[in-house]
Amino acid sequence: MTPALTALAVVVLLVSAAAPAFAQTARDLSVMRRPRPEFQPLCFLTDLGLTGEEGAGGFRVCPRVQVTGGYDDNVFRTEDDAEGDAFTRVSPRIALRSNWENHAVGVELRGDIERYADLTNNDWEDFELRGQGRLDVREDLYARATASVGRFHEDRDDPDAPPGVAGVNQFYKGEEGLQLTYQPTDLVFRLEGRARQIDWRKNGFIDNDDRDRHEYEVSFRAGMEYAEEFLFFVEPAYNIRRYRRDRDFEGFERDSQGFDVRAGVLYDVSGLTFLEASAGYFRQDFADRRFETADGVSVQVDMAWNPTELLTVNMGAGRSVEETTQLGVSSIVASRATLGFEYEIDYNLMFDTLGTFRRDDFEGGSRQDDNIFARAGLTYLMNEYLSWNARYLYARRSSSLAGNDFTSNTLLLTLRGQL
């Protein structure tokens, strides 16, 4: 992590010229995300003892905690003999953000603890420490840096999750990123690098050591603005994935490298429509000669449309190469499409829904999974301190491999408190 953490420290410590303008897009002004000053957290102002001046507030400290009660009618995502159980989730978070005109820095510590009433081998605890910063070199040049470390769990509906009633897979992940953006006149250039380290934990009799890996990616975007609302761009990206073990437990070499080259357009009419769409070609080659190359059409779509002040329409699509250690399978090519709506019933009462279809093609094998995920919820903002959220989740998998289908329904009720 040293290079990225060093970059983040530079962002935190350096101070120079004026900040570029960061305009709000239609995504930022959607029904669920737009600012509502009466319900924004108050936070605490502090200078962290840097100036010694009474009342100085160069930073904002924002604590928050969520308590969720829920019921899942198929906890282990099994095809037959589904078991349901009630659970409680507690999610504390505290964030420190700069309150400066130029540059920005922030640190956030969060956790999630979930406990089941009876099926306790499904309990899990996640935590993450994340830092980010922005250095405004001048009006047309700025840099961003991020660094994070945490422990996470693998969802039961993941294709690599252990079947039946085994415990939940857990892993540690560190991630670092550095981005440099240069925008002279109508041109835009963005260079971005990212590194990721994943360390899987042993899960009872399941040894996940052959899933440990490092991932590296670098991308470059070159674009040209047209008529203010349009940005046409090309974006090549290259990645390297290296596993800690030379071979997995079945004798396969999992190391790979690949590229993804796309051309696209970004359309942004402030507050009304945001659309970023691109298409191209991806290819992933594997060290093991028994694995076939994974390649195909690359697509990325992200859209937010606010036809009225009360309604937001969200759409998305994408294809990506996902890692797996399943026997004889080099990777999973995941293709997804999403559609969702957000509606403001009242100023402090919102409804939102989202549906996702994802097809997983297991490269080198005959398995193909069709997944449907859907959610719908109501959010009620009581005041600047408290809010409620009620949500229904639906998940279904239809697999060509016998015994891997499932359907689940989950109900959630969440109380959030913030200062």
Side-chain angles (χ1 to χ4, degrees), residues 183-196:
Q183 190 170 353
T185 61
D186 296 333
L187 301 177
V188 177
F189 302 100
R190 187 179 74 192
L191 179 64
E192 184 172 4
R194 190 166 296 279
R196 187 179 298 112

Side-chain angles (χ1 to χ4, degrees), residues 49-155:
L50 299 177
T51 66
E53 298 179 8
E54 185 176 354
F59 295 88
R60 299 171 70 235
V61 180
C62 305
R64 188 181 81 184
V65 63
Q66 292 186 169
V67 179
T68 299
Y71 182 84
D72 188 333
D73 71 353
N74 190 357
V75 169
F76 299 106
R77 302 299 187 260
T78 55
E79 182 171 342
D80 301 313
D81 302 321
E83 296 185 73
D85 199 6
F87 62 88
T88 302
R89 183 187 307 154
V90 180
S91 305
R93 189 190 78 168
I94 186 167
L96 172 70
R97 304 187 185 97
S98 63
N99 194 27
W100 309 332
E101 292 185 7
N102 303 327
H103 321 294
V105 65
V107 179
E108 179 178 291
L109 176 63
R110 69 173 187 87
D112 295 283
I113 304 168
E114 188 161 293
R115 290 290 182 268
Y116 282 76
D118 297 314
L119 305 175
T120 57
N121 53 344
N122 207 56
D123 295 348
W124 51 264
E125 308 89 25
D126 292 353
F127 70 85
E128 182 182 29
L129 175 63
R130 173 175 293 272
Q132 57 186 358
R134 188 188 76 242
L135 174 65
D136 304 324
V137 180
R138 59 192 195 205
E139 291 187 0
D140 61 354
L141 178 64
Y142 63 93
R144 295 179 185 271
T146 60
S148 65
V149 62
R151 188 178 72 178
F152 307 90
H153 75 283
E154 184 175 50
D155 290 335

